[in-house]
Amino acid sequence: MTSANVDRSDGNLDDLSVLVTFELPFSLYLPDGEYTVQLPTLEVIIVLERLANAQVDPRWGVEKSEGVEFMRDRYGRLRYTKVTVRTAGRPLIEDELLRRVKTGELEAPDGMLSVQIMSEEISSDFEPAAFQTAILAVNQLIDVYRTTGDQFHIKRVSDEDIFEATINWFVSDEPLGGTQRMGLGRGLTLEPTLSPMTVANIRHWLQHPRPVPVFALLFADSKEKLDAGDYRSAVIDARTALEVLVDEVLLIHFAHNHADLSAVCQILDVQAKRVTSAEDALRRAEVNRKLGTGLKKAIGLDL
């Protein structure tokens, strides 16, 4: 196991700390104040402060009442939470340096890493690590909050969810330096540029009653969740979309070749007993069978 011996050129790191501050795009209905989060290798302090939005869109038809929160205001229309994450500098920097050793960015002869860091380099060199540690700690808090408090609508946050963040370093509570991160934030994207051919395809499709295939809608859902950082749901939707697409391909193949039900069951490795149709056989077939042997026997595609 690699060990790190790290020091500042003008002192040690024991008096170094970092504060990362940003706003969540929703509200955590926890009492304002400090929450200690224990990560695998370091402890962080998160300070929560719930704030009110300056303006409320009148189209929402919301009437405010003093001391009353609206049950369906779950996504930050009326309230949002500001978080400040405080982390000790030494363990954060040591973790980041050890990560760089593992990825080959730094060398550690004989498993020993010895580094001396200039104070003026800390803010720029370790800003990404401080920000990612803050995101990790906040997501740990969110996981506990949404499961323990049954706040199922709250999701983990990713870099793309944060519009602006400030990272400030301190030595014995005296400012050492800081940086600012800017992003598009949740739901903000650059204006898409659609080619004339794409616009023509949209017009052409709209002139026919054919709906968008289910698998295409599922793939679009998967891309949206991937873009929002909801990776687990993105994989589930993509897998479902693939299965739906394969079912359609196999059904078209069976119909085109006038395959009888026994041949369909043989291809899909389904017991023919009580199977009433090709659709029924596909519902009973294992997914891996359809993706593998099914497609190979039906259309010669070996995935």
Side-chain angles (χ1 to χ4, degrees):
M1 177 179 294
T2 303
S3 58
N5 178 25
V6 189
D7 222 335
R8 289 208 334 266
S9 60
D10 54 352
N12 61 49
L13 296 174
D14 294 334
D15 53 358
L16 181 71
S17 62
V18 57
L19 291 183
V20 180
T21 304
F22 54 85
E23 295 168 354
L24 297 174
F26 47 76
S27 179
L28 298 177
Y29 286 90
L30 287 168
D32 288 356
E34 291 189 357
Y35 294 82
T36 302
V37 178
Q38 185 64 54
L39 297 177
T41 56
L42 72 164
E43 180 181 277
V44 302
I45 303 295
I46 298 179
V47 179
L48 300 182
E49 181 184 3
R50 195 161 74 246
L51 304 173
N53 282 338
Q55 296 180 344
V56 177
D57 193 323
R59 292 173 296 180
W60 292 327
V62 175
E63 294 182 4
K64 286 188 176 180
S65 299
E66 186 176 353
V68 176
E69 296 290 355
F70 294 84
M71 293 301 294
R72 289 295 174 183
D73 177 38
R74 296 173 167 175
Y75 304 102
R77 293 183 300 187
L78 302 181
R79 300 283 187 272
Y80 62 94
T81 291
K82 176 182 176 181
V83 299
T84 301
V85 183
R86 185 182 185 95
T87 309
R90 176 178 286 280
L92 187 148
I93 289 176
E94 289 177 347
D95 277 0
E96 171 60 13
L97 292 175
L98 292 175
R99 184 197 67 80
R100 295 178 187 179
V101 171
K102 291 180 180 178
T103 59
E105 299 172 57
L106 288 176
E107 294 184 0
D110 301 321
M112 182 64 187
L113 178 66
S114 183
V115 178
Q116 193 171 59
I117 303 169
M118 302 292 290
S119 293
E120 59 269 20
E121 297 174 346
I122 290 176
S123 180
S124 57
D125 285 1
F126 297 97
E127 177 258 353
F131 181 68
Q132 290 302 325
T133 298
I135 291 287
L136 182 65
V138 168
N139 279 330
Q140 174 72 357
L141 186 150
I142 288 174
D143 284 347
V144 175
Y145 170 80
R146 69 191 298 257
T147 54
T148 305
D150 196 29
Q151 301 297 300
F152 53 86
H153 54 283
I154 298 298
K155 302 295 185 185
R156 289 175 139 245
V157 292
S158 65
D159 295 14
E160 291 79 11
D161 294 318
I162 307 306
F163 177 68
E164 180 180 0
T166 58
I167 298 95
N168 291 309
W169 299 82
F170 297 85
V171 176
S172 300
D173 295 328
E174 292 295 324
L176 178 65
T179 53
Q180 189 175 40
R181 293 175 63 99
M182 297 294 295
L184 289 173
R186 179 190 289 268
L188 299 177
T189 61
L190 299 176
E191 181 179 354
T193 302
L194 299 179
S195 68
M197 180 177 295
T198 299
V199 175
N201 287 338
I202 291 173
R203 293 183 182 278
H204 177 74
W205 197 323
L206 291 174
Q207 293 173 6
H208 296 80
R210 178 169 59 95
V212 176
V214 173
F215 71 82
L217 293 174
L218 285 168
F219 272 127
D221 289 344
S222 177
K223 291 179 181 178
E224 187 274 331
K225 290 170 182 174
L226 184 65
D227 184 63
D230 190 359
Y231 304 119
R232 183 181 303 172
S233 297
V235 170
I236 292 172
D237 278 353
R239 174 77 179 199
T240 304
L242 179 60
E243 184 177 356
V244 171
L245 174 60
V246 169
D247 282 0
E248 291 191 17
V249 169
L250 291 175
L251 280 174
I252 292 172
H253 171 79
F254 295 147
H256 181 74
N257 289 279
H258 307 289
D260 59 40
L261 198 52
S262 61
V264 170
C265 290
Q266 183 180 8
I267 290 174
L268 299 177
D269 194 23
V270 173
Q271 295 293 329
K273 187 178 181 180
R274 298 180 182 176
V275 174
T276 59
S277 63
E279 292 86 348
D280 186 23
L282 283 167
R283 282 193 294 269
R284 296 170 183 264
E286 294 183 359
V287 175
N288 288 339
R289 178 72 180 188
K290 290 186 285 189
L291 293 176
T293 308
L295 284 180
K296 187 175 182 179
K297 288 187 176 180
I299 58 176
L301 179 61
D302 187 357
L303 293 181

